[in-house]
Amino acid sequence: MKPIQVGLLGIGTVGSGTFNVLKRNQEEIRRRAGRGIEITMVADLDTARAQSIVGPDVRVVNDARAVIANPEIDIVIELIGGYGIARSLVLEAIAAGKHVVTANKALLAVHGTEIFAAASAKGVMVAFEAAVAGGIPIIKALREGLTANSIQWIAGIINGTTNFILSEMRDKGLDFAVVLKEAQRLGYAEADPTFDIEGVDAAHKVTLMSAIAFGIPVQFDKAHVEGITQLGATDIKYAEQLGYRIKLLGITKRTTEGIELRVHPSLVPAKRLIANVEGAMNAVVVNGDAVGTTLYYGKGAGSEPTASAVIADLVDITRLHTADPHHRVPHLAFQPDALSDVAVLPMSEVVTSYYLRLRVADQAGVLAKVTGLLAGAGISIDAVLQREADEVSGEGGTSTDLIILTHDTREGTMNDALAQLQNLPTVLAPIVRIRKEELN
Ligand SMILES: NC(=O)c1ccc[n+]([C@@H]2O[C@H](COP(=O)([O-])OP(=O)(O)OC[C@H]3O[C@@H](n4cnc5c(N)ncnc54)[C@H](O)[C@@H]3O)[C@@H](O)[C@H]2O)c1
Ligand SMILES: N[C@@H](CCO)C(=O)O
Ligand code: NA
């Protein structure tokens, strides 16, 4: 089957990430989707910059309507932003029978009812994973993974810019304006950054989550919206002293009286996982009656993290347009005829860093011997900790614990080195080895 053709409207921060990731991972994405996915036409007001991003093979125009009018194009990605031209273009794309993928939470939170109705009438999809918490697949989790549940509440850090500002102000004592500038430079902030700092962007996102969680229309106008501009450094400090962190939360909750829909700064106990979500990272806590509390964490903004969500939507739509649309989601995520025979590594080939604890005789030269042996095996040491001598060993001398952290090492190399270390007469007990993962 020939690749599905995609038209991209707006190739700024998210658009360029989408183009680049789709190109870089095209083979893997084709194996998942069951069909290639290609951006064949791009519209942007700055055609020269757009052409320099996509290269000479992709057609670039400055009129988005020319993309929508192209009969070869099945899916239109809207990454222009805002409620104005974006609304017209999305509605026109739907009217032309194209599926739409968008990251535009402002548009959907305000005009979602109209847009979803038009799409349903026309039998096309409007997919918006990128619109809420960027790269975190929270829409998919709410819509598909948690369908068994009566969702009770959702609370999320869903604006990277404000979380970045709050974190930097607290940790580095930096000024609000300085940090906001940095967030803009990094591509996190909205075109109008007051949307970020006044809580509007978070309210757009929680409005969409609320609709999906509770099966209600999107109604941004009912949301209570407070940002972080009134928040003083003093309150951040006092909250800290009381064991709390202040986070800008988007909250939606089912109550017997109705649905709560609100964004405001909140004190959160410092020991909660969500209180430790720092910088531009996002996190969403969802409570369902069956599953209990679940947490979703990751990058909620930025070029490629957001592109990750845009492309996931493209794959979902493309799977509807493959030879076998009944098997939309393959059992193993990749199409059965596209499975790979790449080998599973034997454990000896796995590379990790290590924590080693050796019970050694407290004698001159032991440390040098141990580290020398590791160096000889090509194992690089990250840190060494020698405890004070504390125990009388068998021969009447004292013994001590020697703790060593290593840098990345092949497991086989470590096994050989440990066997040699274990044979040293000054190593008095079986060596404890725990693998270390940074998970960052
Ligand atoms: N930046 C992020 O981290 C992020 C994350 C999630 C969602 N979003 C959303 O994604 C959308 C795009 O954001 P962005 O950060 O990539 O914005 P951006 O300003 O970097 O890019 C927008 C692009 O659209 C082009 N454009 C403007 N008007 C146009 C028109 N009439 N026709 C064609 N092109 C036009 C601009 O020239 C620009 O290249 C917004 O809805 C935003 O809210 C952004
Ligand atoms: N301005 C948004 C971008 C992601 O939607 C943020 O800071 O989180
Ligand atoms: Na998302």
Side-chain angles (χ1 to χ4, degrees), residues 229-365:
T229 48
Q230 302 304 314
L231 206 59
T234 336
D235 297 311
I236 298 177
K237 202 175 71 203
Y238 285 144
E240 194 92 359
Q241 287 169 6
L242 293 164
Y244 290 85
R245 298 263 167 88
I246 298 185
K247 294 291 184 189
L248 182 71
L249 294 185
I251 296 173
T252 186
K253 196 182 273 185
R254 183 198 295 276
T255 76
T256 44
E257 285 76 38
I259 304 287
E260 295 178 8
L261 183 57
R262 51 194 169 96
V263 172
H264 49 73
S266 312
L267 270 74
V268 183
K271 66 180 180 200
R272 294 269 176 279
L273 285 171
I274 195 166
N276 294 283
V277 171
E278 302 288 14
M281 301 305 279
N282 280 199
V284 182
V285 183
V286 181
N287 181 278
D289 67 336
V291 72
T293 299
T294 58
L295 171 70
Y296 309 82
Y297 168 84
K299 288 187 177 145
S303 180
E304 293 204 354
T306 311
S308 167
V310 170
I311 296 169
D313 283 341
L314 287 179
V315 170
D316 272 354
I317 294 170
T318 302
R319 281 173 174 159
L320 292 173
H321 294 263
T322 54
D324 186 2
H326 299 297
H327 294 104
R328 279 204 298 138
V329 183
H331 298 113
L332 296 176
F334 289 81
Q335 301 295 324
D337 58 358
L339 295 181
S340 146
D341 55 6
V342 61
V344 174
L345 283 180
M347 194 59 195
S348 59
E349 293 301 322
V350 169
V351 173
T352 65
S353 53
Y354 291 86
Y355 159 103
L356 305 176
R357 179 164 61 80
L358 293 79
R359 191 74 194 163
V360 295
D362 190 26
Q363 293 170 9

Side-chain angles (χ1 to χ4, degrees), residues 10-15 43-46 49 62 64 79-82 85 103-105 130 187-188 190 300-302 306:
I11 185 158
T13 303
V14 183
D44 200 290
L45 299 181
D46 188 342
R49 189 176 46 86
N62 71 358
L79 295 173
I80 293 172
I85 182 76
N104 193 337
K105 55 269 162 157
Y188 304 148
E190 292 305 299
T306 311

